[in-house]
Amino acid sequence: MEAIGNVVLNLNYYGGVDLYSEGAGEDLLLKLVSEHAEAEYPAVIQNTRSWSVMYHLSNERENICSFLPIKKTDKVLEIGAGCGAVTGCLARLAGHVTCIELSKKRSTINAVRHKMLDNIDIIVGNFEDVEQDIEEKYDYITLIGVLEYAASYIKSRDPYHDILNRVSRHLSENGRLIIAIENQLGLKYFAGCREDHTGGFYDGIEGYRDKEGVRTFSKHGLKKLLEDSGYKSRFYYPYPDYKLPHTIYSDDRLPGMGELNTNIRNFDADRILTFDETKVFDTLIGNGQFSEFANSFLVLAQKEGAGTEEKLPIYAKFSSERAINLRTATVISRNINGSGMEVYKRALSPQANDHIDSIYVNYLALLKEYENTGARPNVCTRSGSASGMASVDGGNVGETETVYFEYLTGLTLEEYLDDLEAKGEYERMLLLLKQYEKFISSVCRDDFKNSEGFTELFGEAVEGEYKSGKVSNLDLIFTNIVFDRFKKENGVWNILDYEWTRPFPIPDRFIIYRALFYYIEGHKNSAFLKYLKRRGLDLYAEFGISIPEKEIFRRLEEHFQLSIIGGAASLTVMHELMPTVCADAVEAAGKEFRYKNLRNPMIYYGTGLGFTSDKQISLFADVKGHDVSMRIPVEKDVCELRVDPTEYPCLIRIKKLKTVTGMGLEKPLERFLTNGYIGGEDLILFDTHDPQLHFMKLPGETEELILEYEVLNLEDEMFSSMKELFVRNTESMKKDPTLVDRVLVKAGRREAEVIPDGLRYNKSI
């Protein structure tokens, strides 16, 4: 046994060597958790810019289980606890957590970071060995990022069924198995992400044909695996995936159109971007196929015949990329029979309790502010029956506040706009937005005045004539306004999520600006915006927001967002900081498509009378990348060749040009004609779709022409600038024949050069 703070490591099953290790990466993690408190992890993540550090220390990892109905009376067995990314969350939810982890180094990291918690013990060893001696029954057993590796630590012909069967022996009567795993058919893999475990492109969707030791499952495959092992299951869909989720969906609350718009999350490796995942997700959602292609699964499984809790969460959204005093989670739960829908928002840290309390205060203030306006803030109370949620940064469930809301059904203003757009009713959309403007006017009736609170929140005072309310709800964006599906805008305007209500005036046009800005951001390239562009309309200008005002409001919003993030390791910011690349496949393919037909350039031969289409030589060139090489046979009476290397503008670098005699002797061919511009003896720029290289007056004994060149494609701007340089260089090469030249020609010592129109030599004599 070894104690680290309050955490005890059981080494009875440890073989003395860590069979799996990240080496120096784990040494760094141990150093970091030893030297830094949990509140300092966001700064550590940003400073190291390491995926390993981010993966193990990000508070976003806890989102996968912090919303689950685990109670203080529950006992949890965490199999494959790793470095403790979710151990702290489980410990703050449950009465006791037992971890099993193969690696001592990882177990030590886990113990060090959670040494202040007194309800964790860690068994170091292989689950297959430890499991035989487990006598305890657990209310929850977790396989978070573990099931896919079963073949590596379970020695059997069917390790995936075997691990599930072994686990079931240690579940309490109504206990639950928690599985988090990537979807083998996750959309991100089709869109160009590497398979998370193998690091290769398309390995999972190609069936892991040459891969061993790891595999994931489709929804159908995982559900069948569980059924065959005696489990009933409930599926959730963490988004973007289970590792760093910000939203958890379920079959009872699936994503809506346009919701899945944070897909570029390749923190760990370069990726390809083969299509717009948001648009494809929308297509899948519209066809009822989202659950089959969700990137990850979170599964709650119970043994057949086990009882089910009366209430379970069906949706969770985490606002955890914020300063610690502003971190919250919004959860929707309902009874198993479909009744009793409940919505609540809970602090994710004790430091965020004041923020949660302020939401109820905001509700009371808006009730008074919205009297006689046709608007109504969604009913908020401080009492309810939500199951506990874990708080981060050391607090327990009892230390975090919760507020509860009425569950509303209906149509958001954004959904209404989307419906009108789908029908092509763009003028009605404009009229609806004008009605929104009238609504803002109805709740902003006073003259705006700057205040200390405004300047502190937004970074600067605002000059100009604006209206405002005494209390201002900044977040009146289109997704936070709900209509009755039948009465729509003619009924009550129900206001959701008034989290960012402040007790001081905020300009009405800034509130409108934010609503328009976030709508436009989420609807880039939409039919409605294209319609406005065709009509020459600017949406901001339609609502009286000038270009200078847009810049002012942009600064206000930027300062506001930075104040929300505080020192948090925002995933959006971290993606920019991480040294990974997202390569657009369509753009890359477009460039490659321009290199078409390199294998079969057009080749013409001549006998001194010029080139005609009936005198062609067919051969396949040897192509490696953009390098082309060929050996062109030269018949006895042929004295000239013409090669058209491409059928599009390009840059050609001549790498080798030689004639070959019957004796096999190679001789460089120094000069040739071309319709391109010369950038040097070996560089030629073509601005035509008919590039030509003319090899004239071949030596009589020539039997082959060896030609090697590289084809380079230039972007439009670079092409234009390089063409100017090449044209100037080509012009500088022109010169009139000297007296010596004319004398040599007249004496028959040199032939007069006759250059066809549009051609020029690659070099002077």
Side-chain angles (χ1 to χ4, degrees):
M1 298 291 182
E2 181 179 319
I4 299 177
N6 293 323
V7 180
V8 174
L9 272 65
N10 180 342
L11 302 176
N12 292 336
Y13 300 89
Y14 181 53
V17 178
D18 286 350
L19 300 179
Y20 175 82
S21 172
E22 291 182 25
E26 290 178 5
D27 294 336
L28 174 61
L29 280 170
L30 182 56
K31 181 176 185 293
L32 292 173
V33 299
S34 299
E35 296 177 353
H36 297 276
E38 192 165 353
E40 298 173 306
Y41 288 176
V44 168
I45 291 169
Q46 292 184 64
N47 291 336
T48 58
R49 297 202 303 170
S50 159
W51 164 243
S52 176
V53 172
M54 181 179 176
Y55 175 71
H56 291 294
L57 300 187
S58 173
N59 63 285
E60 302 286 319
R61 292 292 309 281
E62 296 191 348
N63 293 347
I64 194 63
C65 57
S66 66
F67 74 107
L68 295 173
I70 302 173
K71 304 181 294 295
K72 273 297 174 186
T73 54
D74 292 332
K75 290 177 288 188
V76 176
L77 176 64
E78 184 185 8
I79 300 172
C83 297
V86 299
T87 303
C89 171
L90 294 171
R92 290 188 286 271
L93 283 169
H96 191 272
V97 177
T98 298
C99 303
I100 299 176
E101 169 55 43
L102 187 63
S103 161
K104 184 184 178 186
K105 177 66 68 68
R106 290 185 164 214
S107 297
T108 302
I109 294 168
N110 190 355
V112 169
R113 67 190 291 188
H114 298 119
K115 61 186 177 183
M116 301 304 293
L117 297 175
D118 60 4
N119 62 339
I120 299 172
D121 64 79
I122 303 174
I123 303 172
V124 183
N126 189 352
F127 172 73
E128 190 173 41
D129 301 325
V130 175
E131 184 265 335
Q132 302 174 41
D133 297 331
I134 294 177
E135 298 179 355
E136 192 77 65
K137 296 289 185 181
Y138 294 92
D139 302 290
Y140 287 89
I141 298 178
T142 72
L143 293 174
I144 297 177
V146 172
L147 177 62
E148 56 265 46
Y149 291 107
S152 298
Y153 57 85
I154 298 293
K155 300 177 182 67
S156 75
R157 288 193 298 177
D158 193 354
Y160 302 101
H161 280 102
D162 195 18
I163 180 69
L164 294 176
N165 291 331
R166 288 176 183 239
V167 163
S168 70
R169 298 200 289 260
H170 306 289
L171 281 171
S172 63
E173 182 180 358
N174 296 321
R176 283 196 175 92
L177 170 62
I178 301 172
I179 298 173
I181 188 172
E182 286 87 0
N183 179 5
Q184 181 184 4
L185 303 181
L187 187 66
K188 69 178 185 178
Y189 299 129
F190 292 91
C193 281
R194 296 173 186 269
E195 208 282 342
D196 287 76
H197 312 91
T198 67
F201 291 111
Y202 313 120
D203 284 341
I205 60 179
E206 290 180 349
Y208 300 103
R209 290 178 185 171
D210 58 347
K211 308 296 178 184
E212 296 181 356
V214 64
R215 67 154 302 174
T216 57
F217 304 88
S218 66
K219 182 181 180 182
H220 171 78
L222 183 55
K223 191 171 184 179
K224 187 175 188 305
L225 176 65
L226 287 163
E227 288 174 353
D228 291 347
S229 302
Y231 290 89
K232 57 183 179 180
S233 57
R234 181 180 183 84
F235 275 73
Y236 293 86
Y237 311 103
Y239 177 78
D241 58 25
Y242 86 83
K243 292 176 180 174
L244 298 167
H246 59 65
T247 309
I248 312 285
Y249 296 98
S250 72
D251 290 316
D252 296 307
R253 171 49 170 96
L254 292 167
M257 303 286 272
E259 283 187 33
L260 307 182
N261 53 21
T262 52
N263 299 299
I264 308 302
R265 287 290 187 265
N266 56 310
F267 302 103
D268 56 334
D270 297 338
R271 66 161 290 181
I272 304 166
L273 186 64
T274 58
F275 51 73
D276 186 326
E277 285 160 86
T278 295
K279 291 179 180 177
V280 177
F281 266 131
D282 281 351
T283 301
L284 294 171
I285 291 166
N287 285 278
Q289 295 293 308
F290 163 74
S291 65
E292 303 298 327
F293 295 95
N295 289 327
S296 292
F297 302 127
L298 172 67
V299 183
L300 294 188
Q302 287 181 295
K303 292 183 287 187
E304 287 290 351
T308 304
E309 284 198 27
E310 185 178 337
K311 186 166 289 189
L312 281 174
I314 63 172
Y315 171 84
K317 184 172 180 62
F318 299 90
S319 299
S320 46
E321 296 179 51
R322 296 178 175 179
I324 193 169
N325 63 313
L326 298 174
R327 293 178 190 168
T328 64
T330 302
V331 180
I332 302 175
S333 63
R334 77 172 191 181
N335 292 333
I336 295 302
N337 62 12
S339 65
M341 299 290 278
E342 180 179 73
V343 184
Y344 59 92
K345 190 183 289 280
R346 180 182 285 279
L348 285 176
S349 69
Q351 294 92 324
N353 282 343
D354 288 346
H355 183 63
I356 290 293
D357 287 339
S358 73
I359 294 174
Y360 180 69
V361 175
N362 294 342
Y363 166 68
L364 297 177
L366 290 177
L367 266 180
K368 184 179 295 185
E369 190 76 10
Y370 289 169
E371 281 181 349
N372 304 316
T373 65
R376 181 184 76 101
N378 189 24
V379 175
C380 175
T381 65
R382 277 178 162 158
S383 61
S385 58
S387 301
M389 282 182 61
S391 67
V392 297
D393 305 297
N396 60 45
V397 172
E399 294 175 331
T400 55
E401 297 292 333
T402 305
V403 288
Y404 302 84
F405 301 94
E406 175 188 8
Y407 180 79
L408 289 178
T409 58
L411 186 73
T412 69
L413 175 52
E414 182 160 306
E415 289 171 336
Y416 189 9
L417 288 166
D418 290 345
D419 286 349
L420 292 175
E421 181 182 57
K423 298 172 185 175
E425 298 184 26
Y426 307 130
E427 286 300 318
R428 280 195 64 191
M429 292 177 72
L430 278 172
L431 289 174
L432 182 57
L433 291 174
K434 286 294 183 181
Q435 196 149 347
Y436 168 81
E437 183 183 32
K438 289 181 182 178
F439 160 68
I440 296 298
S441 297
S442 74
V443 297
C444 295
R445 301 179 294 273
D446 302 323
D447 291 334
F448 168 74
K449 294 180 181 178
N450 283 295
S451 66
E452 186 177 331
F454 181 89
T455 305
E456 181 181 349
L457 185 61
F458 298 107
E460 60 184 281
V462 174
E463 302 300 327
E465 295 183 2
Y466 299 105
K467 293 292 186 179
S468 68
K470 294 182 178 64
V471 175
S472 302
N473 181 1
L474 175 65
D475 215 18
L476 285 170
I477 59 177
F478 302 152
T479 53
N480 285 341
I481 298 171
V482 178
F483 300 132
D484 178 272
R485 286 189 177 274
F486 299 101
K487 296 180 180 179
K488 296 181 180 171
E489 70 269 31
N490 298 315
V492 176
W493 290 51
N494 294 287
I495 309 303
L496 304 179
D497 201 4
Y498 31 81
E499 182 178 9
W500 303 115
T501 297
R502 291 296 177 261
F504 49 76
I506 295 176
D508 54 350
R509 286 212 291 278
F510 179 43
I511 294 172
I512 294 172
Y513 164 84
R514 291 187 82 252
L516 295 176
F517 174 81
Y518 286 107
Y519 176 77
I520 292 170
E521 280 294 296
H523 293 75
K524 290 178 179 176
N525 300 316
S526 70
F528 177 56
L529 295 182
K530 290 177 181 177
Y531 165 78
L532 295 177
K533 187 175 182 179
R534 287 196 302 271
R535 288 192 55 193
L537 299 178
D538 177 82
L539 200 52
Y540 293 105
E542 287 295 301
F543 295 90
I545 300 171
S546 66
I547 292 175
E549 279 181 316
K550 279 172 62 177
E551 175 57 25
I552 293 169
F553 293 159
R554 183 198 64 77
R555 293 200 306 268
L556 299 183
E557 180 64 13
E558 184 177 284
H559 191 277
F560 171 63
Q561 291 298 333
L562 288 174
S563 71
I564 293 174
I565 294 171
S570 161
L571 296 186
T572 301
V573 173
M574 287 307 302
H575 187 265
E576 295 300 316
L577 293 176
M578 287 295 189
T580 57
V581 174
C582 183
D584 190 306
V586 175
E587 182 180 325
K591 293 176 182 177
E592 288 301 312
F593 290 159
R594 297 172 194 166
Y595 292 105
K596 60 186 177 181
N597 296 334
L598 292 185
R599 285 199 67 209
N600 52 342
M602 300 295 290
I603 304 173
Y604 302 88
Y605 66 89
T607 56
L609 301 175
F611 303 107
T612 57
S613 59
D614 61 327
K615 295 180 178 179
Q616 292 190 37
I617 299 174
S618 296
L619 62 76
F620 287 109
D622 183 21
V623 178
K624 293 181 179 178
H626 305 147
D627 289 328
V628 182
S629 61
M630 65 190 80
R631 299 178 75 100
I632 305 172
V634 179
E635 298 295 334
K636 194 171 185 180
D637 57 345
V638 171
C639 62
E640 55 191 0
L641 292 171
R642 171 183 145 190
V643 177
D644 296 357
T646 70
E647 297 176 3
Y648 46 84
C650 62
L651 182 68
I652 296 287
R653 182 192 301 276
I654 303 295
K655 304 179 81 170
K656 188 174 184 179
L657 179 59
K658 292 184 177 182
T659 58
V660 182
T661 68
M663 300 293 292
L665 297 175
E666 296 183 3
K667 183 179 179 181
L669 187 62
E670 299 291 346
R671 298 181 79 214
F672 56 88
L673 288 167
T674 178
N675 63 343
Y677 296 98
I678 312 303
E681 293 185 4
D682 59 348
L683 279 175
I684 307 164
L685 185 144
F686 296 98
D687 65 346
T688 173
H689 288 271
D690 186 27
Q692 299 175 16
L693 302 171
H694 292 245
F695 308 107
M696 315 297 287
K697 299 178 182 177
L698 297 173
E701 66 275 17
T702 301
E703 293 193 358
E704 275 188 315
L705 179 75
I706 299 175
L707 175 61
E708 296 181 8
Y709 54 85
E710 179 183 7
V711 180
L712 302 171
N713 211 318
L714 300 175
E715 299 298 330
D716 292 341
E717 289 184 14
M718 186 184 295
F719 195 98
S720 298
S721 59
M722 286 196 69
K723 179 182 174 181
E724 292 178 12
L725 294 173
F726 277 59
V727 169
R728 285 201 298 268
N729 184 67
T730 302
E731 291 296 323
S732 70
M733 292 170 59
K734 289 182 178 179
K735 60 180 182 179
D736 294 327
T738 65
L739 176 61
V740 174
D741 293 331
R742 290 196 295 271
V743 169
L744 290 174
V745 169
K746 192 169 184 178
R749 300 285 300 277
R750 179 184 297 170
E751 290 186 20
E753 288 190 332
V754 179
I755 302 176
D757 290 342
L759 298 180
R760 57 196 64 90
Y761 275 105
N762 64 312
K763 62 170 70 173
S764 302
I765 296 175

